[in-house]
Structure formats: structure tokens, C-alpha cells
Amino acid sequence: MQVPTASILALGAFLFCIGLYGALTKRNLIMVLVSVELMLNAANINLVAFSRLGAAPSLDGQVFSLFTITIAAAEIAVGLALLLAVFRLRKTSEVKDLDTLKR
């Protein structure tokens, strides 16, 4: 069964918009990290779709997707470590309470 490329790209754009909305509006740091992961997954969907669309379909998009997944895993590990450190210090995970560098 062949899935139309426009549907795949629309799914990627939809997921990216949901992630962008979540990253810009959520106040909890965990939800911001999840939203960033959603945007990276949307980019992965588009990378794989565009690798299938080229003049000579290849595995380049899938290789880039694996690289992005690796970077995302490292990013979430560092993000959660920072979140735990901030939570131990401040007893909150709200983004608005993390503005001590502004003062």
C-alpha cells in the first residue's frame, strides 16, 4: 500500500505545529521537553519522506533520522538531568519560576 507523500508531509507539519504550540505555551518544563521531542519526530518524518521522493531514492534520510534520534535521546537525558537539578534546588518545574538570571 502506497501512502501519498502529501499525507506524510501533512502529518509532519501537523506534528511540528503541535510541538511548537506546546513549546511556546506550556509552563511545565517536562511538557516543553516533550514538545521539542515532538518537533524532532516531525522533522524525522519529513527527512524519511524526502529521501523517498528524490530522483534516486536512498537511505540518506533514514540515516539522518537515526542521527537525529540519537541527538534527541542525548538532549532529553541532559534536559531531564537539568530538570532534576532545578527541581531539587527550587522545588518547582514551572518555567516562569526559573528566571533568576533575569534579576
Side-chain angles (χ1 to χ4, degrees), residues 56-70:
S58 63
L59 295 177
D60 292 344
Q62 295 175 16
V63 171
F64 281 130
S65 294
L66 286 175
F67 183 72
T68 306
I69 289 170
T70 305

Side-chain angles (χ1 to χ4, degrees), residues 29 83 86-95 97-98:
L29 197 54
L83 175 67
V86 167
F87 187 78
R88 285 182 183 166
L89 189 66
R90 308 268 173 175
K91 305 294 183 203
T92 184
S93 63
E94 297 292 319
V95 174
D97 296 334
L98 305 176

Side-chain angles (χ1 to χ4, degrees), residues 7-19 42-43 45-46:
S7 299
I8 296 171
L9 296 178
L11 174 67
F14 183 69
L15 288 177
F16 189 85
C17 289
I18 290 173
I45 288 173
N46 286 338

Side-chain angles (χ1 to χ4, degrees), residues 16-71:
F16 189 85
C17 289
I18 290 173
L20 184 63
Y21 176 77
L24 294 177
T25 60
K26 296 297 178 186
R27 296 175 189 255
N28 191 331
L29 197 54
I30 293 174
M31 292 305 295
V32 172
L33 286 174
V34 169
S35 298
V36 169
E37 292 294 322
L38 198 57
M39 288 191 289
L40 288 173
N41 284 329
N44 287 337
I45 288 173
N46 286 338
L47 282 172
V48 172
F50 284 125
S51 73
R52 289 180 51 200
L53 280 178
S58 63
L59 295 177
D60 292 344
Q62 295 175 16
V63 171
F64 281 130
S65 294
L66 286 175
F67 183 72
T68 306
I69 289 170
T70 305
I71 297 296

Side-chain angles (χ1 to χ4, degrees), residues 72-83:
E75 173 254 333
I76 200 72
V78 171
L80 284 176
L82 288 173
L83 175 67

